[in-house]
């Protein structure tokens, strides 16, 4: 039940991010599903397999990036329309807030550790998206999906 609730919340975050930033309507549902799948991987690995959140963020963003590249080929839209809304559930906002709160309460040691953790999670998200971009170029997803290119 928790996994389903998490999937729905991350889907709605990605979906409504597309609505707010005025993406094309045909992209709303697939971008929401891409974001939900990326965060679901992160959630399942963290809760069920007890992995560290830095590694789960890396694997979740890698999954998100690969799904975004596949969907961009299917819907013939830029990859950014799928990646950016999908990142939103993965961003370590609560950890950064907690670090700022500890900094304001003059708890410098814990604030430093929490800030470093937030930066490592953000870096792992960026690394996962970079790896997925390079994998999609290497594997040539277009040939795997048999999607023809628009020629002018």
């Amino acid at each position: 039940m928790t996994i389903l609730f998490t999937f729905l919340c991350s889907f709605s975050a990605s979906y409504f991010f597309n609505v707010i930033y005025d993406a094309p309507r045909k992209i709303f549902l697939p971008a929401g599903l891409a974001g939900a799948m990326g965060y679901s991987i992160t959630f399942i690995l963290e809760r069920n397999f007890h992995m560290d959140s830095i590694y789960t963020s890396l694997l979740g963003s890698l999954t998100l990036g690969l799904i975004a590249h596949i969907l961009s080929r299917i819907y013939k839209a830029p990859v950014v329309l799928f990646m950016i809304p999908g990142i939103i559930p993965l961003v370590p906002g609560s950890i950064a807030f907690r670090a700022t709160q500890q900094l304001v309460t003059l708890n410098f040691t814990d604030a430093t550790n929490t800030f470093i953790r937030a930066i490592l999670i953000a870096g792992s998200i960026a690394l996962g998206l970079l790896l997925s971009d390079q994998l999609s170029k290497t594997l040539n997803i277009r040939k795997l999906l048999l999607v023809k290119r628009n020629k002018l």
Side-chain angles (χ1 to χ4, degrees), residues 19-40:
V19 172
I20 289 171
Y21 285 100
D22 199 27
R25 286 184 184 255
K26 70 176 187 174
I27 303 298
F28 287 177
L29 187 64
L33 287 174
M37 289 299 296
Y39 188 74
S40 294

Side-chain angles (χ1 to χ4, degrees), residues 69-94:
H69 278 282
I70 291 170
L71 290 175
S72 72
R73 301 290 185 221
I74 292 172
Y75 287 95
K76 294 181 175 42
V79 179
V80 176
L81 292 177
F82 299 101
M83 271 191 192
I84 300 299
I87 293 173
I88 299 301
L90 292 174
V91 171
S94 64

Side-chain angles (χ1 to χ4, degrees), residues 1-11 34-61 63-64 86 89-91 121 125:
M1 189 65 181
T2 308
I3 294 173
L4 180 64
F5 181 70
T6 305
F7 185 85
L8 290 175
C9 287
S10 58
F11 172 81
M37 289 299 296
Y39 188 74
S40 294
I41 293 295
T42 301
F43 182 77
I44 290 170
L45 289 175
E46 194 171 337
R47 300 288 184 218
N48 295 346
F49 295 103
H50 306 290
M51 290 177 67
D52 192 25
S53 60
I54 297 169
Y55 302 122
T56 59
S57 295
L58 174 71
L59 294 174
S61 64
T63 305
L64 167 70
L90 292 174
V91 171
I121 291 172
I125 292 170

Side-chain angles (χ1 to χ4, degrees), residues 67-124:
I67 291 172
H69 278 282
I70 291 170
L71 290 175
S72 72
R73 301 290 185 221
I74 292 172
Y75 287 95
K76 294 181 175 42
V79 179
V80 176
L81 292 177
F82 299 101
M83 271 191 192
I84 300 299
I87 293 173
I88 299 301
L90 292 174
V91 171
S94 64
I95 296 173
F97 174 76
R98 194 176 322 123
T100 307
Q101 187 179 27
Q102 291 170 349
L103 189 64
V104 170
T105 59
L106 303 177
N107 192 356
F108 296 118
T109 306
D110 291 340
T112 304
N113 292 336
T114 312
F115 268 128
I116 290 172
R117 184 162 195 77
I119 290 170
L120 285 174
I121 291 172
S124 69

Side-chain angles (χ1 to χ4, degrees), residues 123-134:
S124 69
I125 292 170
L127 182 64
L129 292 177
L130 178 73
L131 288 174
S132 69
D133 189 45
Q134 294 304 316

